[in-house]
């Protein structure tokens, strides 16, 4: 057990609710690590672990159909079918030796390996949730506050 702050929680329809610390993330084996996200998202930087490796630890229950990504810092939420996101999600939390800073969406940010453009489906750019604090497994779609149209999208970006 470590007394470091919990950076990310897994909750809801999981066998083992988790509170994940920096040490936990650093302890994930190399096979589950994703180094240098600029290889698949040019212009973004960082290193992380696969969402799948963390889901494996939490153990989605049989009834879990959706993964809801919560950013409590700015009250932004995205809900995506489990089957779609599990092979695509990367949990980014470092840039080399340095923890991911808030300007880059840290301390923990989700990146989709191969997102579609904004507002074009479940796994779009808008699902690259910054300041990710909780991952909730739900039966049915959970909360999703992604902008529904161009105007809402422009307004969201204007606030950032
Ligand atoms: N917490 C949080 N994450 C967020 C958003 C937000 O408003 N809050 N905006 C989303 C949207 S609409 C987009 S297009 C991308 C933009 O990521 P970028 O700022 O790294 O380009 O972040 C997504 N992640
Ligand atoms: Mo977006």
């Amino acid at each position: 057990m470590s007394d470091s702050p919990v950076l990310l929680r897994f909750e809801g329809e999981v066998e083992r609710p988790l509170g994940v610390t920096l040490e936990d993330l650093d302890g994930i084996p190399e096979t589950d690590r994703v180094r240098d996200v600029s290889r698949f998202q040019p212009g973004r930087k960082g290193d992380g672990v696969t969402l799948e490796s963390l889901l494996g630890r939490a153990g989605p229950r049989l009834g879990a159909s959706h993964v809801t990504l919560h950013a409590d810092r700015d009250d932004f939420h995205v809900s995506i079918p489990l089957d779609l996101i599990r092979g695509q999600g990367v949990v980014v939390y470092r840039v080399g030796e340095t923890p991911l800073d808030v300007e880059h969406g840290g301390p923990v940010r989700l990146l989709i390996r191969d997102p579609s453009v904004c507002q074009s489906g479940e796994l779009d750019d808008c699902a690259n949730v910054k300041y990710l604090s909780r991952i909730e497994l739900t039966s049915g779609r959970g909360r999703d506050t992604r902008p529904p149209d161009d105007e809402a999208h422009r307004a969201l970006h204007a606030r950032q």
Side-chain angles (χ1 to χ4, degrees):
M1 286 287 279
S2 99
D3 52 10
S4 316
V6 169
L7 301 184
L8 179 62
R9 291 184 191 282
F10 281 76
E11 56 190 36
E13 294 292 312
V14 291
E15 298 294 344
R16 293 169 295 277
L18 297 180
V20 182
T21 65
L22 187 65
E23 284 76 13
D24 295 332
L25 289 166
D26 281 341
I28 304 268
E30 189 61 36
T31 48
D32 296 321
R33 306 198 76 80
V34 180
R35 304 246 181 222
D36 186 9
V37 298
S38 73
R39 291 180 294 119
F40 54 90
Q41 286 222 3
R44 292 208 165 98
K45 56 182 183 177
D47 309 288
V49 300
T50 62
L51 175 62
E52 185 64 19
S53 66
L54 295 172
L55 282 173
R57 285 168 168 72
R61 291 210 186 110
L62 270 180
S65 67
H66 284 69
V67 171
T68 303
L69 308 161
H70 297 282
D72 292 308
R73 180 190 169 95
D74 66 347
D75 202 19
F76 186 76
H77 314 266
V78 172
S79 193
I80 299 176
L82 176 60
D83 291 349
L84 284 184
I85 199 176
R86 61 186 324 163
Q88 281 278 325
V90 177
V91 173
V92 182
Y93 72 101
R94 277 190 177 283
V95 182
E97 292 302 301
T98 314
L100 189 70
D101 60 35
V102 76
E103 285 73 41
H104 294 98
V108 175
R109 172 178 204 168
L110 189 98
L111 281 184
I112 308 291
R113 278 181 188 271
D114 186 19
S116 58
V117 295
C118 294
Q119 299 163 60
S120 66
E122 309 266 16
L123 277 180
D124 65 1
D125 244 335
C126 310
N128 289 315
V129 175
K130 300 178 242 192
Y131 337 120
L132 178 64
S133 45
R134 289 182 292 124
I135 294 184
E136 182 191 12
L137 280 283
T138 54
S139 154
R141 184 178 296 278
R143 194 159 173 219
D144 199 320
T145 61
R146 278 181 287 183
D149 54 38
D150 283 350
E151 198 187 334
H153 198 255
R154 270 195 303 274
L156 174 65
H157 282 270
R159 280 203 299 277
Q160 286 173 344

